Amino acid sequence: MKKRALIIISLLLVCTMFLTGCGTEETKKMVCTRVIDQNGIKMDLRYEATYTGDVVSLLESTEKVISSDTAVLEQYQTLLKQSYAPYDNVKYYNVDITIDGDTLTSHVVVNADKIDVDEITKIDSANGNYYTDGKMMIANVERAFTSLGATCTTE
């Protein structure tokens, strides 16, 4: 009797794991890139979205402006700081803008799992385009970056 119960329980566990896929989905990363070289200014754009299933958990952007003209870099820095200023007190939205030599780097990290979607949508309604039912969706992110001319691949 104990042996039969053990076999039934084992079969139920195997069936449950088979049907649910052991409850884990693979975490993937989509990388979108674009390089622009115009009028002596080069822009190297890289966007990375870490996601599981269709839901993005982390979005990172690294945008570099490369120019031998420091006035150009300083102008870009001023414009970027002004555009990101409304996000200064938003939890889980981190911005770092630096100039090192001939390169301005803007690095933005958004923790999509934890950020207050309503708060960032109030700052810029376009942020809502990334979300469906309160979750940042990989298809929305890919659509946004490819519309900017970036090429996306999954790693």
Side-chain angles (χ1 to χ4, degrees):
M1 184 69 154
K2 287 183 182 181
K3 189 175 183 181
R4 185 173 183 201
L6 186 60
I7 291 172
I8 291 172
I9 290 171
S10 296
L11 285 173
L12 286 173
L13 286 174
V14 169
C15 288
T16 301
M17 286 191 300
F18 178 73
L19 291 173
T20 62
C22 298
T24 60
E25 290 187 69
E26 183 181 357
T27 298
K28 297 178 183 177
K29 185 180 286 191
M30 179 181 70
V31 177
C32 303
T33 59
R34 181 172 183 199
V35 175
I36 303 166
D37 199 347
Q38 194 171 19
N39 301 325
I41 300 171
K42 181 178 178 182
M43 298 181 87
D44 184 1
L45 313 174
R46 181 179 176 89
Y47 309 99
E48 296 181 15
T50 303
Y51 64 100
T52 304
D54 295 328
V55 180
V56 176
S57 57
L58 188 69
L59 184 63
E60 291 186 67
S61 73
T62 304
E63 300 173 331
K64 295 182 179 184
V65 178
I66 303 160
S67 174
S68 59
D69 188 342
T70 56
V72 168
L73 296 177
E74 290 169 357
Q75 183 178 12
Y76 269 102
Q77 183 179 41
T78 298
L79 291 171
L80 286 172
K81 285 183 176 184
Q82 288 172 350
S83 68
Y84 285 119
Y87 299 92
D88 283 348
N89 296 316
V90 176
K91 282 181 85 172
Y92 309 111
Y93 196 108
N94 301 305
V95 179
D96 184 38
I97 302 168
T98 58
I99 295 177
D100 185 16
D102 66 350
T103 305
L104 174 140
T105 303
S106 166
H107 187 77
V108 179
V109 179
V110 178
N111 186 328
D113 284 340
K114 296 180 180 180
I115 198 163
D116 183 338
V117 178
D118 292 332
E119 184 177 10
I120 63 170
T121 304
K122 284 178 189 172
I123 293 170
D124 184 348
S125 61
N127 288 325
N129 295 332
Y130 292 99
Y131 291 86
T132 302
D133 297 328
K135 295 187 185 286
M136 186 180 285
M137 305 302 287
I138 192 65
N140 299 345
V141 172
E142 182 174 17
R143 186 173 24 260
F145 293 139
T146 56
S147 74
L148 298 174
T151 302
C152 300
T153 58
T154 302
E155 295 182 348

